[in-house]
Amino acid sequence: MATVLVAVGVVCALVVCVLWQFHRALDRTPPDVGAFARSAATRTAGVAAARTSSARMTNLTSALPWAVPLGTSVADSCRTEDQNPFLGPASWAPINCVRSTVLYLAFDGDIRTHLHQLDAVLAEQEWVGSGSSPNTLTGMATWLSQAGGDPSPAASQRGSTEPPGSRPICLSTTYGPATQKRDVPHGGLGLRLRVAVAELPCTPSAETGDLQTDGRPEKSPVERTVYLTWHPLSTDTVSRSAYTAHRYVAALSLVDGYAVQSAPTTAPPPPLTR
């Protein structure tokens, strides 16, 4: 019996080796991310994205005089990934370039009042909540309060044994420009804004465009990623520092997908831009 098992194991190993060699033989050469990132059209689109992101963040900061700016992180990168990394030929995702800008704020005072004010500012600047209801910060806070702070959909159906508002504020919701008629697909062109508000012991969720490991920002581990700009901030570190003097911390993450290349070629074609 042992001999049979060993023989089966050897055969399986040989089959795996043959399939792996077949996979490598058919492997497609990955697109040149660096060439695409450095192309004139991509650079032009990147400059426009940087200008737009900076202007939008400045407008948000100036409209929230009761909030204390804590800093801004920026990560601008282009990447592609093997969508079929195990067996069979490589299938490369379209190269996409994304600029992620995160504005960190701290504030005190009545949370309901400030959530209403933040919702009003977002509406005035034509940011529209995406996804299902509730799609505003005030709506999200009300829903969580009614569920006793439990964010699961089942909580609002079964009720909660905890008094409303007994858990810390820890919420986020996503917005898109009113002129943008659909949500941005993964790796697609367009803007989205995630707004997160938290108090101890929560840390606001942020789309930083890098990897936040043990409180330290690191560049994306995806092999074929080229960073054009990287000015990182640790969300955990910023939050811990802010909580020593303020009750609430907000993270406003503006993610701008500004260029996409659909297929690799010898010379990179002009990218799709907004």
Side-chain angles (χ1 to χ4, degrees):
M1 183 65 179
T3 304
V4 173
L5 291 176
V6 170
V8 170
V10 170
V11 170
C12 290
L14 289 173
V15 169
V16 170
C17 289
V18 170
L19 289 175
W20 178 249
Q21 292 300 324
F22 181 71
H23 161 58
R24 301 314 301 169
L26 295 179
D27 203 10
R28 283 175 48 202
T29 302
D32 191 337
V33 179
F36 180 77
R38 292 187 297 269
S39 69
T42 300
R43 291 201 306 270
T44 299
V47 169
R51 187 184 306 114
T52 298
S53 297
S54 178
R56 286 185 179 274
M57 288 306 194
T58 298
N59 290 340
L60 284 169
T61 304
S62 61
L64 304 170
W66 41 267
V68 179
L70 303 173
T72 302
S73 69
V74 179
D76 189 335
S77 64
C78 300
R79 71 177 62 183
T80 184
E81 297 181 68
D82 185 355
Q83 296 176 310
N84 189 27
F86 299 110
L87 292 176
S91 175
W92 298 103
I95 299 175
N96 65 93
C97 300
V98 179
R99 187 178 185 88
S100 298
T101 306
V102 184
L103 169 65
Y104 295 96
L105 304 168
F107 60 94
D108 298 284
D110 181 70
I111 185 61
R112 299 284 178 174
T113 298
H114 287 320
L115 290 180
H116 276 294
Q117 291 172 332
L118 188 47
D119 280 336
V121 166
L122 293 170
E124 182 180 352
Q125 297 188 10
E126 299 187 331
W127 288 104
V128 178
S130 61
S132 59
S133 181
N135 56 14
T136 65
L137 293 169
T138 303
M140 180 67 73
T142 300
W143 178 60
L144 293 179
S145 177
Q146 291 172 345
D150 187 341
S152 67
S156 59
Q157 297 173 4
R158 67 173 182 264
S160 173
T161 58
E162 299 183 34
S166 62
R167 293 193 181 184
I169 288 289
C170 192
L171 55 89
S172 70
T173 189
T174 304
Y175 300 80
T179 55
Q180 189 170 278
K181 302 304 181 184
R182 58 180 177 80
D183 293 341
V184 181
H186 176 71
L189 299 172
L191 285 168
R192 70 176 179 272
L193 176 69
R194 170 179 282 188
V195 181
V197 178
E199 66 178 319
L200 277 173
C202 292
T203 299
S205 58
E207 297 188 49
T208 59
D210 51 28
L211 186 66
Q212 305 261 326
T213 304
D214 297 327
R216 297 176 302 172
E218 298 178 3
K219 291 184 177 180
S220 170
V222 176
E223 181 181 357
R224 291 172 178 85
T225 300
V226 174
Y227 276 86
L228 308 174
T229 303
W230 193 55
H231 300 304
L233 285 176
S234 165
T235 304
D236 286 344
T237 300
V238 170
S239 299
R240 284 199 303 269
S241 177
Y243 282 139
T244 62
H246 302 280
R247 181 167 182 179
Y248 303 106
V249 176
L252 282 63
S253 307
L254 181 60
V255 181
D256 188 346
Y258 63 85
V260 174
Q261 181 190 41
S262 295
T265 59
T266 303
L272 301 174
T273 57
R274 289 180 289 104

